[in-house]
Amino acid sequence: MAKKEEYTPRHASAPKSASGKKNIPQKKRTATKPTYKKPAKKKQVSEPVRKTRSKKETFGDRLKYFWSHRTKKQKTIIVVVAIILILLIAIGIFVWSKLSLLGTAEEDPVAEVTEEVNMDDLDDLADANTLNGIIKNWAKNDTKKMSDKDVKNILLIGLDSVSGCTDSMIIASVNEKTHKITLASLYRDSYTYIVPKKGSPTYGKLNWAYSKGGISVLLSTIENNYKVKIDDYAIVNYQTFPKVIDALGGVDVYVTEKEAKFLNETWFEWSLTGNEQPKPYETGTNHLQGEMALTFCRIRKLDSDINRTERQRRVITSTLSSMKNASLSQLNNVVNSVFPYITTDMSKTTILGYAGDAITSGWLKYDIEQMAVPSEKLCKSGFAGSQWIWIVDYPAAAQELQKILYGTTNIELDPDRVSVLY
C-alpha cells in the first residue's frame, strides 16, 4: 500500500532553519496613502454682550462707561491733555479781554494848530532850488519806501490832546536778522511838506501833520520824507504816560545837574496837573514816579530838541528795562491802566503775533540802539516866519535811516545835488 502523507496541522511549529530559528513566512506589505486630517475648528469665544443704551441714558452715564473702559495710561494722558487745554483757553480768554481794552484807530485830529507859517516870509514856491521847492520835490518823488519781512517798524506817538500836535514820534524798529531794536526819534520841529486830508498842501513842522487830518496824514508825511514803510502805530495821550510809570512802581532815570536845576525851578511850567512837586530832582540816578517822569520828558527851553528827544529815549529805555523785571501783577496793572488809552491800527491777531515773536525770537533780549532823526550833521536851525524850525537835508537823512534800520539803502545821492544846508 502507498504510504500516507503525514498530516501537519497549521499550528504546528514551523521548520527550523539551519541556525535553529523558525522560518516564519512574512506578510507582504502594501503601500498605503497618507490620510489628511482637517484641523480642528477653534472654539468661538463669544464677546461679552454690550448692553444696549436706553433712550433715558444720560451724558454722565456715557462718560462713566467711556472712563471705565480706559486703561490707566490712557486715563493719565486724557487728564494731562485736559489740563493743558483748560489753561490755554483760560490764558486766551484773559489775553483777549485785555486786548479788548485797546482803542480803535481815529482819523480825525483832536485839535487844530492855531499858528500857521506865514507863507509870505518864505522863499518863492515856484523855484525848485528854494527850501520849499527842494523839500516838496523830495516828498513827491517816486523813491520806493523800504520794507523787509524781518524788520517791523512801529511808530510810537505821544499826543498832546490840548494842541492836537504829536509831541513825540519814535520809530521802534525790530530787526530779527541783526537781533537789534532801534529807537529813532523824529524831530517834532522838522520843517516839511504836508498834504492835508482837506485843503491845499502846506509847509510846517512835522508835529503839525496829525492836526491836518489825523494819523493817515502823519504816516504819509513821515514815509514820504524818510522813504521807509511804517507797519503799525500806537498813539498814547500824554496824560496816560504817568499811569504806565506808576503801574511799574516808577523808573530809574539819570538826571544831569543842569536838568535837575532847571526842573526844580520850572516845575509848574511843565507839569500838566498843577500839583506840588513830589520831591526835588537830584543830580544822578533818580527813581521817578509818573508825573515827574512825564515832566522830565516835556521840558524844551533848557537846551534843544536834540536833548529833548534824548531825554524821552532815556525814559523809554528805563521803562523797557523795568518791564523785563516786572512781576505778573505789575504787568497786569500796566495793561489795565494803559490799554484803554492806547489807540492803534493793530488788530488783536497782529498784537498776539508780535507777542509770539517777542517770546519765540527773544525780542526783550535784543540790543537797543538809540538815535535822533536826522543826525546833527544833516540839519540846521532856522526860522519859518516866527516859527523856529529844523531845516533838514531829507535825501541824506532818509539814506542814513534806511541803512540803520535795514543795513542797506535804495537812495543814491547825486554829488552835484542842491542841498538845503548850503
Side-chain angles (χ1 to χ4, degrees):
M1 289 183 63
K3 192 177 181 180
K4 293 184 179 178
E5 292 182 0
E6 293 181 358
Y7 172 73
T8 303
R10 289 184 179 178
H11 58 273
S13 298
K16 293 181 179 181
S17 61
S19 60
K21 293 182 179 182
K22 292 181 178 180
N23 292 326
I24 301 173
Q26 298 292 324
K27 291 183 179 180
K28 188 176 183 180
R29 294 182 179 179
T30 58
T32 57
K33 294 182 179 180
T35 57
Y36 174 77
K37 292 184 179 181
K38 293 183 178 180
K41 290 185 178 181
K42 293 183 179 180
K43 293 183 179 180
Q44 296 291 336
V45 180
S46 60
E47 295 183 358
V49 180
R50 184 173 179 177
K51 294 181 180 180
T52 57
R53 293 175 180 171
S54 65
K55 294 182 179 179
K56 295 182 179 180
E57 188 178 18
T58 64
F59 175 76
D61 295 331
R62 297 179 183 181
L63 190 60
K64 287 180 181 178
Y65 178 85
F66 172 81
W67 189 254
S68 64
H69 285 70
R70 301 303 104 188
T71 64
K72 186 176 181 180
K73 183 177 180 181
Q74 288 174 333
K75 290 178 180 179
T76 303
I77 294 174
I78 292 172
V79 170
V80 171
V81 171
I83 292 174
I84 293 174
L85 286 175
I86 291 172
L87 288 175
L88 289 175
I89 292 172
I91 293 171
I93 293 173
F94 175 79
V95 173
W96 200 260
S97 66
K98 296 303 179 184
L99 293 178
S100 299
L101 298 175
L102 289 170
T104 55
E106 295 179 357
E107 280 297 319
D108 297 327
V110 178
E112 186 70 24
V113 174
T114 56
E115 184 177 1
E116 297 287 348
V117 174
N118 184 354
M119 305 303 288
D120 294 334
D121 294 337
L122 301 177
D123 296 329
D124 181 9
L125 301 182
D127 188 352
N129 292 328
T130 62
L131 172 61
N132 289 334
I134 292 174
I135 63 175
K136 177 182 178 181
N137 289 339
W138 173 252
K140 294 184 68 175
N141 74 9
D142 57 357
T143 301
K144 185 178 180 182
K145 282 76 174 176
M146 287 200 72
S147 63
D148 190 299
K149 64 181 180 64
D150 293 316
V151 178
K152 303 289 188 300
N153 294 329
I154 303 172
L155 182 64
L156 307 178
I157 304 164
L159 181 65
D160 186 343
S161 58
V162 177
S163 66
C165 296
T166 49
D167 214 31
S168 63
M169 294 159 284
I170 299 176
I171 298 176
S173 181
V174 182
N175 192 320
E176 293 186 333
K177 285 183 180 178
T178 60
H179 295 178
K180 182 178 70 175
I181 296 176
T182 302
L183 299 177
S185 299
L186 307 179
Y187 289 152
R188 63 192 295 277
D189 294 322
S190 300
Y191 185 67
T192 185
Y193 176 75
I194 302 172
V195 180
K197 208 166 186 180
K198 297 178 181 179
S200 303
T202 186
Y203 301 85
K205 295 181 179 182
L206 180 60
N207 71 325
W208 291 7
Y210 184 85
S211 70
K212 298 297 182 181
I215 188 64
S216 60
V217 175
L218 175 61
L219 292 177
S220 63
T221 302
I222 293 174
E223 290 181 344
N224 290 339
N225 283 310
Y226 291 102
K227 310 304 181 188
V228 295
K229 179 67 176 175
I230 303 298
D231 298 298
D232 297 294
Y233 70 84
I235 303 174
V236 179
N237 192 295
Y238 254 162
Q239 280 77 0
T240 305
F241 183 73
K243 298 179 184 295
V244 180
I245 306 301
D246 289 335
L248 290 171
V251 292
D252 295 326
V253 179
Y254 182 81
V255 180
T256 66
E257 181 180 359
K258 185 179 178 181
E259 291 167 341
K261 182 180 179 181
F262 181 80
L263 283 163
N264 291 331
E265 293 175 352
T266 62
W267 167 263
F268 287 105
E269 183 176 351
W270 307 107
S271 172
L272 294 176
T273 64
N275 296 331
E276 292 287 339
Q277 186 174 348
K279 63 179 181 179
Y281 292 91
E282 299 177 352
T283 303
T285 300
N286 290 240
H287 187 73
L288 302 180
Q289 298 301 321
E291 187 175 6
M292 294 188 71
L294 175 60
T295 303
F296 178 78
C297 290
R298 294 191 70 229
I299 57 174
R300 289 194 300 272
K301 299 178 181 179
L302 171 62
D303 31 47
S304 68
D305 203 24
I306 296 174
N307 303 93
R308 183 170 180 271
T309 56
E310 190 277 329
R311 281 190 287 270
Q312 293 172 354
R313 294 193 302 275
R314 216 185 301 171
V315 173
I316 290 176
T317 302
S318 179
T319 303
L320 290 175
S321 298
S322 297
M323 285 186 173
K324 292 179 182 180
N325 303 317
S327 65
L328 289 176
S329 176
Q330 287 177 315
L331 292 176
N332 185 51
N333 289 336
V334 170
V335 171
N336 290 334
S337 301
V338 178
F339 271 31
Y341 303 95
I342 294 178
T343 301
T344 179
D345 65 333
M346 291 180 278
S347 65
K348 295 175 184 178
T349 304
T350 301
I351 295 174
L352 289 174
Y354 282 154
D357 291 340
I359 295 172
T360 57
S361 301
W363 286 5
L364 292 178
K365 296 180 181 180
Y366 286 5
D367 294 330
I368 299 177
E369 181 179 340
Q370 302 182 41
M371 64 173 294
V373 180
S375 60
E376 292 185 59
K377 64 182 180 180
L378 299 178
C379 63
K380 68 178 182 180
S381 60
F383 283 90
S386 60
Q387 292 287 323
W388 185 91
I389 60 172
W390 280 115
I391 299 174
V392 180
D393 184 352
Y394 281 114
Q399 184 188 65
E400 180 183 58
L401 181 60
Q402 286 184 346
K403 287 181 178 179
I404 291 174
L405 300 186
Y406 299 100
T408 185
T409 181
N410 61 359
I411 299 171
E412 293 185 9
L413 299 178
D414 186 348
D416 297 326
R417 70 188 178 92
V418 177
S419 172
V420 296
L421 300 183
Y422 43 83

